[in-house]
Amino acid sequence: MNSPLAATTPLSCFELDDRVPSVDEARQALLTLIEAPLGHERVALQDAHGRRLAETLSAPINVPQNTNAAMDGIALAWLAEQTRWPLAGQALAGEPFTSTLATGQCVSITTGAPLPDGADTVIMNEQLEIHADHVRVHSPERVIRGQNVRQAGEDIARGNVALAAGEQLDAARLGLAASLGIAYVAVYRRPRVAVFSTGSEVTAPGAALPAAGIYDANRFTLSGLLREHGAEVVDLGILPDCPDTLRHALEGAAASADLVLTSGGVSAGQADYTREALTALGQLAFWRVAMRPGRPLAAGALGELRTPFVGLPGNPVAAMVAFLQFVTPLLARLEGQSSGAPRRLCAIVDETLASRAGRRDFIRGVYTSDARGQLRVRSTGAQGSGILTSMVNANCLVELPDACTAVHPGETVIIQPLRREA
Ligand code: AMP
Ligand code: MG
């Protein structure tokens, strides 16, 4: 039976025996294929968008550096119940007032200008009547001591952690790093991912379509997903269903990539050589997962380097869904993250969706927010694993749990938002 250890330590990829793992088991097991995160490199902040920090950034300065005015107006050294304030000078952003303000005095000030020593309160222009040597304040009873002042370090104080290792540098984080004066950051190297399509019928766009051909969609969906997730794509084209060609190609890719992805050729069909090549070159972990779409899915390690390998299903929707469940977490692990499981939200379902016990179903869905802000979801319609328009029309995957046989209108379901907005 399960020991407490077994409950917390995921099985390695190679300990699943001949069982068909659940999505959760397969996702956990796959992570064990990655022994160590990738190395780091230093890049200019301008080039760091989307990269993952490999260092923790502490603030070398207070942000803001000085206590300053949040409004254009006057800065004053508080004196209760005074309405006529003598003007001692001015403080501009970049041109501070350098003397100390005596109690009861004020200076005119612009937004962002450092508050002079002695000043503690700012009143905005709209509340002032400004004369040559003094200022009169309207409705002085509305002035609160300390108002309209931004304190030095109120955004982030010197020495505090500004951004933690592992955070992905999005627009706001880039801005924060820049506001600290940081010009270079250590980030994880981008994962280099080799991608092949397989199948003698699979034809590159631009070539004439043979009578029994099908255009190669997967290299484009997978390359796009890889780029969306910050990986560097090594596009190795289309491989025919030929065991030797496949073996050589996988061997070459394993020597230079951090991860090798193929699509097609992993089911139990006659021409499905991917599993065979994987067994010959390395170690096959499992080749099916209890899910739909995406049941045929091979995973293992290639060659002496034990390069992680995922053989995605050939059907275009299945390849994308399996990528989002299994490859995304691997990319996150390569960049030092402990978990990269898909983001989940709850939504109320507006129609009956059928499922089958013993596997996880991923229905392509469209979620919207109703007048009360409640998320609601419906399916995109036909759900065949080759119907790529269902992915085009979807903005989420509805995830129906392993034991579920159906959900009905009004029930709550889990959705995985797709990155693209509807
Ligand atoms: P397979 O797993 O190789 O049996 O492929 C399953 C289905 O997906 C078949 O109908 C293939 O023709 C189709 N397929 C395989 N690879 C691709 C691809 N790269 N682009 C579009 N369809 C594909
Ligand atoms: Mg095939």
Side-chain angles (χ1 to χ4, degrees):
M1 280 310 340
N2 278 353
S3 69
L5 186 66
T8 53
T9 312
L11 286 175
S12 115
C13 232
F14 304 102
E15 294 172 318
L16 293 168
D17 303 323
D18 219 14
R19 272 183 317 125
V20 179
S22 70
V23 169
D24 299 327
E25 282 174 316
R27 190 186 284 131
Q28 283 295 326
L30 269 166
L31 290 177
T32 66
L33 287 176
I34 296 186
E35 282 151 19
L38 299 174
H40 308 165
E41 61 189 349
R42 245 181 140 62
V43 298
L45 203 57
Q46 285 96 325
D47 302 323
H49 186 240
R51 305 294 296 271
R52 252 184 223 286
L53 269 180
E55 61 180 345
T56 289
L57 298 181
S58 297
I61 55 167
N62 280 324
V63 178
Q65 179 177 208
N66 300 296
T67 296
N68 69 79
M71 297 273 193
D72 291 336
I74 56 167
L76 53 88
W78 182 260
L79 183 61
E81 290 169 25
Q82 176 164 274
T83 51
R84 184 184 182 284
W85 290 80
L87 258 175
Q90 64 174 14
L92 306 174
E95 233 175 280
F97 180 82
T98 46
S99 325
T100 299
L101 218 52
T103 302
Q105 285 190 324
C106 74
V107 291
S108 63
I109 196 161
T110 57
T111 304
L115 238 61
D117 285 346
D120 57 8
T121 302
V122 170
I123 304 177
M124 62 179 174
N125 274 333
E126 290 79 348
Q127 211 178 328
L128 303 174
E129 197 182 291
I130 300 170
H131 301 276
D133 63 343
H134 73 278
V135 171
R136 198 162 279 282
V137 176
H138 300 305
S139 314
E141 69 286 356
R142 284 178 26 219
V143 178
I144 299 165
R145 187 175 190 176
Q147 71 177 23
N148 299 332
V149 172
R150 304 166 177 157
Q151 298 298 328
E154 75 173 18
D155 187 354
I156 182 150
R158 178 177 23 223
N160 282 1
V161 170
L163 295 172
E167 289 187 47
Q168 195 161 29
L169 293 166
D170 59 6
R173 289 179 174 82
L174 285 177
L176 186 64
S179 75
L180 297 171
I182 292 169
Y184 290 86
V185 284
V187 294
Y188 285 98
R189 183 164 69 68
R190 284 182 193 282
R192 265 173 72 80
V193 183
V195 188
F196 297 101
S197 291
T198 74
S200 299
E201 79 284 25
V202 178
T203 308
L209 190 63
I214 181 170
Y215 279 124
D216 181 3
N218 295 348
R219 245 176 338 124
F220 297 85
T221 56
L222 298 175
S223 299
L225 286 168
L226 284 166
R227 292 200 177 96
E228 284 176 15
H229 288 88
E232 191 185 308
V233 177
V234 184
D235 183 343
L236 294 173
I238 304 169
L239 298 173
D241 289 314
C242 160
D244 285 344
T245 315
L246 196 56
R247 213 168 45 241
H248 283 125
L250 288 177
E251 209 166 7
S256 63
D258 301 308
L259 169 66
V260 178
L261 293 184
T262 62
S263 67
V266 284
S267 52
Q270 267 181 333
D272 292 338
Y273 298 116
T274 308
R275 280 188 289 139
E276 197 182 307
L278 183 57
T279 310
L281 281 176
Q283 202 176 0
L284 173 71
F286 55 84
W287 58 279
R288 290 163 300 182
V289 177
M291 67 189 279
R292 190 174 80 163
R295 180 179 160 87
L297 181 119
L302 289 171
E304 281 174 12
L305 293 171
R306 302 191 58 73
T307 308
F309 168 83
V310 181
L312 295 163
N315 277 307
V317 176
M320 288 189 82
V321 170
F323 180 103
L324 293 167
Q325 305 313 309
F326 304 114
V327 180
T328 306
L330 286 181
L331 296 172
R333 175 60 63 99
L334 282 168
E335 291 189 312
Q337 299 301 289
S338 54
S339 154
R343 194 164 67 90
R344 291 184 165 99
L345 298 173
C346 285
I348 292 180
V349 67
D350 280 333
E351 65 186 301
T352 296
L353 299 176
S355 175
R356 193 193 289 165
R359 71 169 188 218
R360 186 134 349 148
D361 277 67
F362 293 93
I363 312 284
R364 272 73 71 206
V366 178
Y367 75 94
T368 52
S369 159
D370 70 14
R372 291 170 48 234
Q374 168 68 53
L375 299 185
R376 311 197 72 95
V377 68
R378 60 177 173 78
S379 89
T380 55
Q383 294 287 316
S385 62
I387 299 182
L388 203 46
T389 49
S390 71
M391 283 304 286
V392 172
N393 295 331
N395 65 1
C396 69
L397 298 175
V398 184
E399 183 178 346
L400 300 178
D402 301 354
C404 172
T405 51
V407 291
H408 302 287
E411 291 179 10
T412 297
V413 291
I414 293 169
I415 61 170
Q416 296 182 3
L418 297 172
R419 185 169 280 228
R420 182 169 37 83
E421 289 307 315

